[in-house]
Amino acid sequence: MSDVRRVFFVSDRTGITAEALGHSLLTQFDVVTEQATIPFIDSVEKSSGALKRIRAASARDLNRPIVFSTIIDQDVLAVLRDSKDIVLYDFFDTFIKSLESELKVPPQQIIGRSHGMADDSMYDIRIEAMNFALHHDDGATLRHYGRSDIILVGVSRSGKTPAALYLALQYGIYAANYPLTADDLVDNRFGSGLPQGLRHQKDKLFGLTIDPDRLHQIRQERRPNSRYAELRQCEYEVARAEAMFRRERVPYLDITTMSIEEIASTLIHQRGLSRRV
């Protein structure tokens, strides 16, 4: 028997909304959870199948499984609501009725509306921003840095690429990223300033840094027992990079304990970036 709380996010579409809201609530409680998402539950038959899966997975648990739902169709949802061996939290039921009363307009109850592609132009903006991030990943090319909204700078494996891609996909922000190489950091010892390719884009720069111990762990997974992954090398690179940021007055952020969502939100807030999506 296990006292781990098993949590399921059940949705008639992707489950992204249920996950986001459910995670936000669960972070307020110091409990150990095992989580799973069950998407595309858009029929009574699929709902029954999902319930069987939930029951099977939690058959030996001490506590009832927690189910967060964003299912619109009431017949589909009823399969879960009528079950006595799960704890159901229906996000739409919690908020929709109150909003309907306040807005005095009945809900349309359209499945997948929150993540639908209501505007084709938004899709195009995301794709263009993604292409920009990919073409300007790890300093692959500096030619179009002038088009960027932000240029992320940091040592290798300090979170630049995932942050740039997330900004592009979620918000349509043009984000490039530049890795500080060994040559950049050696030159930096003598106060030679920013790397040549960044000097004319200083107002767009934002540094990302990370705890050397965490960097060491990440690099060990990528290149075990290499000089690149040595703790001493990680300590050296992080110290030199942060010294550069401070001397050149480049704002920077320690991302060691931050999620990708937190990093993106902080960058948007601190830099005042305009979201295209």
Side-chain angles (χ1 to χ4, degrees):
M1 304 287 278
S2 172
D3 60 356
V4 173
R5 295 309 301 261
R6 204 174 300 272
V7 178
F8 294 88
F9 305 104
V10 184
S11 173
D12 45 27
R13 296 303 295 164
T14 63
I16 293 174
T17 301
E19 287 178 359
L21 295 173
H23 285 155
S24 295
L25 294 174
L26 290 170
T27 57
Q28 302 303 309
F29 301 91
D30 186 17
V31 295
V32 178
T33 63
E34 184 171 319
Q35 303 176 9
T37 300
I38 307 179
F40 304 111
I41 303 304
D42 54 6
S43 69
V44 170
E45 292 74 22
K46 289 181 181 179
S47 189
S48 297
L51 183 58
K52 288 180 182 178
R53 174 179 167 183
I54 293 168
R55 285 172 171 164
S58 56
R60 298 179 58 82
D61 293 353
L62 294 173
N63 301 296
R64 290 185 295 170
I66 294 171
V67 178
F68 292 106
S69 167
T70 52
I71 293 175
I72 292 289
D73 189 294
Q74 293 303 300
D75 291 335
V76 176
L77 182 62
V79 176
L80 300 177
R81 185 187 289 120
D82 294 344
S83 174
K84 303 303 181 183
D85 48 3
I86 69 171
V87 182
L88 178 67
Y89 294 96
D90 175 14
F91 286 122
F92 283 134
D93 182 64
T94 300
F95 299 107
I96 288 292
K97 289 182 180 177
S98 176
L99 275 172
E100 180 180 2
S101 176
E102 178 63 29
L103 297 174
K104 297 178 176 56
V105 176
Q108 294 183 335
Q109 296 189 341
I110 300 175
I111 293 175
R113 187 70 175 267
S114 63
H115 292 283
M117 194 167 68
D119 186 346
D120 289 344
S121 65
M122 294 297 101
Y123 176 81
D124 293 338
I125 288 171
R126 291 177 192 268
I127 294 301
E128 289 176 7
M130 280 287 290
N131 284 335
F132 184 89
L134 291 169
H135 290 154
H136 296 83
D137 181 44
D138 266 351
T141 177
L142 314 182
R143 287 186 303 165
H144 304 296
Y145 269 14
R147 293 181 58 203
S148 64
D149 298 309
I150 189 170
I151 302 170
L152 304 178
V153 185
V155 301
S156 174
R157 313 307 291 179
S158 59
K160 301 182 302 300
T161 295
L165 292 175
Y166 188 88
L167 286 169
L169 181 61
Q170 290 295 113
Y171 305 115
I173 290 172
Y174 281 45
N177 77 82
Y178 182 95
L180 293 173
T181 65
D183 288 342
D184 293 328
L185 297 171
V186 168
D187 290 344
N188 181 245
R189 291 165 51 193
F190 306 105
S192 59
L194 294 168
Q196 181 66 35
L198 301 180
R199 293 175 189 174
H200 299 298
Q201 304 293 341
K202 188 173 179 179
D203 61 328
K204 296 183 178 182
L205 302 183
F206 203 107
L208 298 185
T209 190
I210 187 171
D211 180 80
D213 289 322
R214 178 58 182 146
L215 182 62
H216 166 64
Q217 295 173 358
I218 295 172
R219 289 185 175 183
Q220 271 288 92
E221 294 175 1
R222 185 173 178 83
R223 296 185 199 168
N225 304 316
S226 63
R227 181 174 179 275
Y228 167 80
E230 288 178 357
L231 179 58
R232 181 180 297 179
Q233 180 66 20
C234 294
E235 291 172 336
Y236 169 83
E237 291 185 25
V238 169
R240 294 298 177 193
E242 290 182 359
M244 176 189 292
F245 297 150
R246 288 191 295 270
R247 189 181 62 252
E248 299 298 326
R249 297 184 180 179
V250 173
Y252 67 97
L253 179 67
D254 185 337
I255 58 91
T256 305
T257 60
M258 299 179 73
S259 68
I260 192 67
E261 294 87 354
E262 290 174 314
I263 295 170
S265 294
T266 302
L267 293 173
I268 290 171
H269 174 70
Q270 291 194 14
R271 266 306 193 197
L273 300 175
S274 297
R275 295 160 38 160
R276 296 184 179 86
V277 178

